Amino acid sequence: MSIRERLSGNEAVATAMKQINPDVVAAFPITPSTEIPQYFSTFVANGSVDTEFVAVESEHSAMSACIGAQAAGSRAMTATSANGLSLMWEMIYIASSLRLPIVLNLVNRAVSGPLNIHCDHSDAMGVRDSGWIMLFSENNQEAYDNNLMAHKIAENQNVQLPIMICQDGFITSHSIENIELEEDSEVKKFVGEYHPEHYLLNKKEPIAVGPLDLQAYLFEHKAQQAEAMKAAKQVILDVSKDFEKWTGRHYELFEEYKLSDAEIAIVCMNSTAGTAKAVIDKLRENGIKAGLLKIRVYRPFPSDEVAKALSDLKAIAVLDRSDSLNAIGGALFEDVTSSMYVAKKQVPIVNYIYGIGGRDTTEKDIESVFTDLTEIVSTGSVGTPYRYLGLRKGAN
């Protein structure tokens, strides 16, 4: 039976980690993710877990320690944000290439510079092609739930890839919300124990981890990573079904909010979806058929499913909380438009860069996007597809 509680997003994640009781947690503090290892260290200190907590001197070392622990046969977890993830960058690629199912909680924050400690998605987008599964979380409940599902996804024999759970820095990480927690014993039963097939401390099977991989093999190994990422999509759906049977909480690759009969819609990720839902409810009261597609699974990107869900719309706005600085839109926009093109679905699509450095995105801002979409439908013209939302006038 679920337990009603009030927790911040960081507390919810730390609680999930306590219930999972991983073998190793290695972490270095960085705002706004600092509270996750801080809360977890209290669980270590008071004996709530028997985890080996490794307080390292940098984020590079944190991921290195997780790699060593996971390669040795242990279950490893960590958390970081922004510049911390940047310092891990080398090891992020090594973790995925070694097929180590590490779980990392990424509390999204702007990457320097200039220095900013508030939310955008530039950290996540910087490693989107590193071979990690990436789940995004609209609220504290979803951050908690994604953690409970993470190990079963990553450790699946058809996957064996690390997984990143994203939530918006300060917006969800430090905001307190009502949340449904599961019983500790039930969490452990659902997650299960970790029994890797190959690991360094198995004296019956001496192996090397991280050897030189030259022309003869690297290409094939990268293709195997790609195939594992493709396989992860079905595994995510299967684990989500098992999770729903257990908790009653339903998750898919993405959430469709009033999308079935919508004429115009927004595509976005994380906490902005909540604001969009509130605006959509108001627009619906005025007879405007607005909808939302909230991406939950960003890697692997569910291209076929996204294209099908958006194919009957008259106009679409994709909201990116980071700019790829490439003059052709943000990363989510590129993925959505590529999906639509490959599926031969022709729908007018416009991109908005928004919320950089924690800039507040209000209901008024979201309303303006739907107003623009209504105009696109009525005129049949997109105009410039690359736009800013909430930028001070004259700044561009």
Side-chain angles (χ1 to χ4, degrees):
M1 183 176 179
S2 296
I3 305 164
R4 292 283 288 175
E5 187 55 274
R6 294 179 299 278
L7 299 175
S8 70
N10 282 344
E11 287 179 288
V13 167
T15 300
M17 292 171 65
K18 179 194 75 170
Q19 295 176 316
I20 293 165
N21 192 17
D23 300 304
V24 174
V25 168
F28 187 83
I30 182 169
T31 303
S33 67
T34 299
E35 287 182 333
I36 295 175
Q38 182 180 357
Y39 283 125
F40 189 80
S41 68
T42 65
F43 301 140
V44 175
N46 65 25
S48 297
V49 296
D50 54 13
T51 302
E52 185 70 28
F53 186 85
V54 187
V56 293
E57 81 284 0
S58 74
E59 290 86 356
H60 187 282
S61 296
M63 184 51 61
S64 297
C66 286
I67 289 170
Q70 197 84 41
S74 299
R75 181 178 271 162
M77 301 182 76
T78 188
T80 194
S81 297
N83 299 6
L85 184 67
S86 299
L87 190 53
M88 286 182 181
W89 199 85
E90 175 190 16
M91 307 315 294
I92 288 289
Y93 276 78
I94 289 174
S96 61
S97 69
L98 295 181
R99 307 292 296 279
L100 299 174
I102 297 163
V103 175
L104 182 152
N105 276 278
L106 179 64
V107 183
N108 296 122
R109 172 193 135 180
V111 177
S112 297
L115 177 63
N116 181 291
I117 63 169
H118 293 280
C119 176
D120 66 33
H121 296 166
S122 52
D123 50 6
M125 295 303 109
V127 295
R128 67 185 182 272
D129 298 329
S130 62
W132 282 62
I133 298 166
M134 301 176 75
L135 306 183
F136 280 73
S137 314
E138 178 185 343
N139 49 40
N140 303 358
Q141 183 73 64
E142 196 164 354
Y144 171 78
D145 291 349
N146 280 338
N147 269 273
L148 299 191
M149 289 183 268
H151 291 283
K152 286 180 71 69
I153 296 166
E155 294 168 5
N156 184 282
Q157 288 301 307
N158 293 324
V159 179
Q160 292 292 302
L161 291 173
I163 186 167
M164 198 174 294
I165 311 298
C166 301
Q167 64 166 314
D168 283 345
F170 292 108
I171 299 171
T172 57
S173 66
H174 285 65
S175 296
I176 296 174
E177 296 179 348
N178 291 328
I179 187 172
E180 298 274 349
L181 300 178
E182 303 306 317
E183 296 281 358
D184 289 6
S185 59
E186 292 299 312
V187 171
K188 289 179 175 59
K189 181 180 176 181
F190 178 78
V191 175
E193 296 182 356
Y194 181 49
H195 298 292
E197 183 178 358
H198 307 287
Y199 55 99
L200 280 171
L201 296 184
N202 182 2
K203 63 181 180 181
K204 297 179 180 179
E205 183 192 35
I207 61 172
V209 173
L212 187 65
D213 199 359
L214 296 178
Q215 299 95 324
Y217 296 106
L218 184 60
F219 195 174
E220 284 71 24
H221 289 162
K222 289 301 174 183
Q224 290 171 2
Q225 280 182 260
E227 290 303 311
M229 186 63 75
K230 292 177 185 177
K233 186 165 67 172
Q234 186 57 53
V235 173
I236 291 168
L237 289 172
D238 293 341
V239 172
S240 296
K241 287 179 182 177
D242 291 341
F243 185 81
E244 184 178 10
K245 291 177 184 177
W246 170 38
T247 66
R249 295 191 290 276
H250 178 76
Y251 292 101
E252 296 278 354
L253 301 172
F254 48 77
E255 178 185 351
E256 299 178 58
Y257 187 76
K258 300 187 177 179
L259 195 65
S260 60
D261 66 337
E263 296 180 349
I264 53 177
I266 280 175
V267 180
C268 69
M269 299 192 290
N270 269 13
S271 63
T272 304
T275 307
K277 290 174 183 177
V279 172
I280 289 166
D281 290 344
K282 292 179 181 179
L283 293 176
R284 286 280 178 164
E285 291 175 1
N286 295 323
I288 299 174
K289 292 185 176 181
L292 166 73
L293 190 148
K294 182 195 80 177
I295 297 291
R296 172 183 171 244
V297 179
Y298 183 61
R299 290 291 183 267
F301 192 77
S303 58
D304 294 341
E305 295 84 354
V306 165
K308 182 178 179 181
L310 299 176
S311 61
D312 293 329
L313 293 162
K314 295 181 178 179
I316 302 164
V318 179
L319 274 55
D320 272 283
R321 199 159 194 155
S322 63
D323 194 342
S324 292
L325 303 177
N326 57 9
I328 56 169
L332 181 58
F333 175 73
E334 294 170 10
D335 289 329
V336 171
T337 53
S338 174
S339 299
M340 298 294 281
Y341 177 82
V342 171
K344 296 181 172 60
K345 305 296 183 183
Q346 298 299 314
V347 179
I349 307 179
V350 63
N351 186 212
Y352 290 86
I353 304 299
Y354 79 101
I356 301 297
R359 178 69 57 86
D360 192 22
T361 303
T362 65
E363 289 188 18
K364 185 177 180 181
D365 292 325
I366 300 297
E367 287 174 4
S368 71
V369 173
F370 281 114
T371 298
D372 291 348
L373 291 177
T374 301
E375 184 176 350
I376 289 172
V377 173
S378 64
T379 63
S381 174
V382 170
T384 175
Y386 313 118
R387 308 180 183 186
Y388 292 99
L389 179 64
L391 189 71
R392 290 199 299 273
K393 291 184 178 179
N396 60 336

